[in-house]
Amino acid sequence: MRLDKFLKVSRLIKRRTVANDVCDSARVFVNNNPAKPAKQLKIGDIISIEYKNALKSYKVLQVPNGNVPVNMASELYEEIINE
């Protein structure tokens, strides 16, 4: 699944166009490398997103085939505590 689609489906970012913009501005990293929206994700990848005052990281636990119900979105990833 594409990175921008995963960010939307997992509800880490609310809209796919916003996910595209964030990726294009080099604020999203996959396995510590800057990632483009079309980057293909796989289980075990680490996604890091730079917010205004924080850097949050998530480990991909599942890669769905399509849309996911809201109550299952948080099962797609695990938040990694940055120290």
Side-chain angles (χ1 to χ4, degrees):
M1 174 176 277
R2 289 171 53 110
L3 174 60
D4 58 345
K5 175 94 171 155
F6 181 84
L7 291 172
K8 184 226 178 254
V9 168
S10 65
R11 300 340 188 251
L12 290 172
I13 296 179
K14 295 205 184 261
R15 289 184 293 281
R16 191 166 175 182
T17 55
V18 175
N20 274 315
D21 293 342
V22 172
C23 291
D24 287 337
S25 65
R27 292 178 25 215
V28 177
F29 302 88
V30 175
N31 299 326
N32 293 323
N33 296 316
K36 296 291 183 189
K39 169 80 173 149
Q40 292 293 317
L41 291 180
K42 56 189 180 299
I43 295 172
D45 282 344
I46 305 295
I47 301 171
S48 300
I49 304 172
E50 285 183 1
Y51 294 99
K52 290 182 181 180
N53 298 329
L55 176 70
K56 294 197 176 189
S57 298
Y58 307 92
K59 181 177 182 178
V60 177
L61 300 178
Q62 297 179 37
V63 178
N65 292 329
N67 288 330
V68 174
V70 173
N71 59 345
M72 294 181 63
S74 63
E75 297 175 10
L76 300 177
Y77 62 89
E78 172 186 17
E79 186 171 357
I80 298 171
I81 307 299
N82 293 327
E83 297 177 7

